[in-house]
Amino acid sequence: MRLRRVDGHPGIWHTDLAVMIEFRGVSLIYPNGVLALRGINLRVEKGEFVFIVGPTGTGKSSLLKLIYREEVPTEGTVLVDGQDVGAIPEGEVWRLRRKVGVVFQDFRLLPDRTVWENIAFALRVTGASARQIRRRVPEFLELVGLTHRCDSFPSQLSGGEQQRTAIARALVTDPPILLADEPTGNLDPDTSWEIMQLLERINLRGSTVLMSTHDSEMVNRMRRRVVALDLNGIARDEQRAYYHAESVQR
Amino acid sequence: MLNPSSVEFLVLEALANIRRNRLMALAAVLTAGVSLAISAGFALTAIAVHRACEKLPQEFDMAVYVRRGTPPDRVSKLKETLAAMPGVASVTFISKERGWQEFKRSLGQDISMDDLLYNPALDSFKIRMSDPRRGRHLQNRIRNLPEVDDILWRQNEVRFFTGLARVVGIAGAVATVVLFLGSAFIIGNTIRLGIYARRREVSIMRLVGARPSFIRFPFLLEGMLLAGAGAVLALLLIRLAGAYLEALTGDLQSITRFLDSGVAPWQLAALLMAAGLGLGALSSYLSIRRYLKESSLEAAAQ
Ligand SMILES: Nc1ncnc2c1ncn2[C@@H]1O[C@H](COP(=O)(O)OP(=O)(O)OP(=O)(O)O)[C@@H](O)[C@H]1O
Ligand SMILES: [Mg+2]
């Protein structure tokens, strides 16, 4: 049995070095001919926290989409939990989606349902029983700190509260992976920082978290693994890193 | 696999869809109802005509009158000749005395076309045909026999029914195809509007890993409810049309007595319901399948 200290968290050890996500020579060309990703090789282990950074249009969102099978690689293989994602038949994609929670910059909440109902929705449509729903929704409301706002509609919430709701919805079905595509892109710095801390807490609970962002200050403050993309692919992949390579020298 | 709260959720979703989209739902029910009624009307007529020709051959018995003064041995020879002809199922001899008796007896009752077939002045043979629709061939062959005086049978009715069977069959098939396609189009579009109104929900369902069958179910249910309501409407329309037809043709017995399809009301109801549910399920299935293929998860973003 191998023991490994999880980067940046002296108190936490991983006994199992399972690879959660792996990209092997992945390229993605959209039907319109745009080359969004080229030659991506990447391994993310179970329980890791990874920032995906890079200038706009370098394929951060595309990289995440390959993980939850919104896109299929043009070349190469994407493995999630050991499974070749591109080879999953259309009718079986739902199994993958239950392993991967996703949150977006624009929250994507259902406007005519309350916070409670938005979170419960994910359980209802995955066939949970009424009892499971009554037990799990309060648990995740508490995790994201929204117990007191559970009867509010999205339009009555601040951006940060909406994103917390979206995070609870993504996690309530217990996926081992959380993908966050610029989750703080619409939020002010203080709120962004609160969401960042929430995602860190979720990572500490054991979720593997991949987060794309443009927020250099936050990345620099967190000092976690950073995968930087440019138009040629992965420009940099470092542990305990900064947003810009040159920041390290500072 | 489905627990009670899932079933409740799915049924409520389907009902909410219909409520949200009342006008289109009404249009779908009306088109499905009218289409099913017209198709069923054709089918019932076709069945009735078929039954008249196949199941009631006695209605089309042929009376062959023997020339006056034909010797008895020639008459019995004639019977053998007739019985040996193709298309003849059976031959019965009716003497002129018995013909007269039967005619007199029938005078006391309602006079129907049957009674006028017998000329009581002549001996005759009653021929039961195996297929009345081929009676003209038989008639032509019998007419050439020297002992035969005259042949009487309902050739006009047979011609009418054969023609009717052909027209009803072709028109019914064409109408059924066109109307079902039309209904499927309207129901499918109603469902499409419903899917579009719920594109956010659908894309969140896909994102969090709902099974495709679970995503489809409320829309399938919606389609089946709409077309099922159409089937009920169709049943009502057919009963109304039947009552109207009866009132209209009550005294034209010679035609209406043949127009009994022999289909029991419950059979008709079951068939209409099955056709309606099948139509609804198929059109909404195709609609949602196409949507899931064409759309992306981004629909939740709008
Ligand atoms: N569905 C699509 N069809 C065609 N081209 C696309 C599609 N999605 C993205 N692209 C293109 O692929 C490239 C990478 O896009 P992507 O959204 O992954 O970049 P990004 O790094 O997330 O950018 P941003 O920082 O602006 O969010 C861009 O050139 C973009 O225009
Ligand atoms: Mg992006």
Side-chain angles (χ1 to χ4, degrees), chain A residues 30 32 34 36 54-63 65 71 182 214:
Chain A
Y30 282 106
N32 62 1
V34 173
T56 181
T58 49
K60 302 181 292 297
S61 300
S62 301
L63 187 145
K65 283 179 182 173
E71 297 296 340
E182 296 192 43
H214 285 292

Side-chain angles (χ1 to χ4, degrees), chain B residues 1-2 30 57 77 87 89 95 114 119 142 149 156 181 250 264 277:
Chain B
M1 185 206 95
L2 281 180
L30 290 179
K77 196 93 177 288
S95 65
D114 268 335
N119 179 346
I142 297 174
D149 177 281
N156 287 330
L181 284 180
L277 294 181

Side-chain angles (χ1 to χ4, degrees), chain A residues 1-236:
Chain A
M1 189 171 73
R2 289 185 296 170
L3 283 178
R4 194 184 69 111
R5 177 175 283 168
V6 171
D7 206 75
H9 286 275
I12 298 190
W13 296 80
H14 267 204
T15 54
D16 183 6
L17 280 188
V19 177
M20 204 66 201
I21 298 165
E22 185 170 2
F23 283 62
R24 291 183 187 159
V26 171
S27 298
L28 174 62
I29 302 171
Y30 282 106
N32 62 1
V34 173
L35 176 62
L37 290 167
R38 74 163 78 180
I40 303 292
N41 288 294
L42 180 69
R43 275 163 77 107
V44 178
E45 277 157 24
K46 200 171 154 193
E48 264 196 296
F49 190 110
V50 182
F51 282 118
I52 313 288
V53 304
T56 181
T58 49
K60 302 181 292 297
S61 300
S62 301
L63 187 145
L64 297 178
K65 283 179 182 173
L66 287 168
I67 299 172
Y68 60 94
R69 233 310 265 274
E70 170 74 342
E71 297 296 340
V72 179
T74 314
E75 226 173 77
T77 317
V78 176
L79 298 164
V80 172
D81 205 10
Q83 186 180 30
D84 181 351
V85 169
I88 301 174
E90 204 57 54
E92 295 293 314
V93 170
W94 62 272
R95 292 183 200 276
L96 170 76
R97 299 265 166 86
R98 291 195 187 184
K99 294 185 192 169
V100 184
V102 192
V103 297
F104 302 95
Q105 181 174 358
D106 54 2
F107 321 130
R108 306 197 184 176
L109 299 175
L110 301 172
D112 51 352
R113 296 180 203 237
T114 63
V115 168
W116 173 291
E117 274 307 322
N118 264 283
I119 300 170
F121 188 81
L123 289 170
R124 290 192 203 288
V125 302
T126 50
S129 70
R131 235 184 85 217
Q132 285 170 307
I133 292 169
R134 276 197 305 274
R135 192 165 48 79
R136 292 187 66 83
V137 174
E139 187 185 317
F140 281 81
L141 277 169
E142 198 185 325
L143 175 74
V144 301
L146 277 183
T147 309
H148 61 296
R149 301 303 308 258
C150 71
D151 290 329
S152 303
F153 287 91
S155 59
Q156 303 166 328
L157 299 175
S158 72
E161 287 167 333
Q162 291 186 55
Q163 192 58 290
R164 287 167 188 276
T165 308
I167 291 171
R169 179 181 67 191
L171 291 175
V172 74
T173 52
D174 253 347
I177 298 169
L178 179 66
L179 306 179
D181 194 3
E182 296 192 43
T184 61
N186 283 353
L187 306 175
D188 64 64
D190 287 347
T191 313
S192 295
W193 184 241
E194 284 168 24
I195 294 294
M196 190 63 247
Q197 285 176 313
L198 174 60
L199 292 176
E200 183 172 36
R201 205 141 37 85
I202 285 158
N203 175 239
L204 291 182
R205 287 169 82 246
S207 299
T208 306
V209 180
L210 271 74
M211 167 174 163
S212 79
T213 184
H214 285 292
D215 190 335
S216 56
E217 199 182 317
M218 203 159 62
V219 173
N220 293 342
R221 232 166 127 179
M222 292 291 292
R223 301 288 310 278
R224 306 296 287 261
R225 180 176 174 188
V226 174
V227 172
L229 299 177
D230 66 15
L231 289 172
N232 294 315
I234 294 183
R236 180 166 59 98

Side-chain angles (χ1 to χ4, degrees), chain B residues 125-245:
Chain B
F125 288 105
K126 188 161 88 175
I127 294 180
R128 169 84 31 99
M129 288 180 278
S130 49
D131 183 357
R133 281 171 291 189
R134 302 182 58 81
R136 269 171 68 84
H137 295 279
L138 191 63
Q139 183 187 14
N140 289 339
R141 294 184 64 175
I142 297 174
R143 188 190 290 138
N144 293 332
L145 298 172
E147 300 87 352
V148 171
D149 177 281
D150 198 6
I151 303 172
L152 277 180
W153 68 298
R154 293 202 177 91
Q155 51 176 319
N156 287 330
E157 280 91 337
V158 169
R159 202 176 306 138
F160 173 73
F161 279 115
T162 344
L164 190 63
R166 195 172 303 131
V167 169
V168 165
I170 294 171
V174 170
T176 300
V177 168
V178 170
L179 292 171
F180 269 64
L181 284 180
S183 312
F185 180 76
I186 304 257
I187 294 172
N189 264 315
T190 310
I191 300 299
R192 256 170 95 80
L193 282 182
I195 299 169
Y196 186 73
R198 293 172 39 74
R199 63 194 181 283
R200 287 191 195 85
E201 277 88 346
V202 169
S203 88
I204 298 299
M205 286 191 210
R206 301 169 80 186
L207 187 67
V208 300
R211 287 168 194 259
S213 57
F214 193 98
I215 298 174
R216 279 196 295 263
F217 189 87
F219 299 109
L220 284 185
L221 190 62
E222 183 187 352
M224 288 166 78
L225 282 175
L226 294 178
V232 173
L233 176 66
L235 200 61
L236 280 171
L237 289 176
I238 288 171
R239 299 305 283 270
L240 279 177
Y244 179 70
L245 213 78

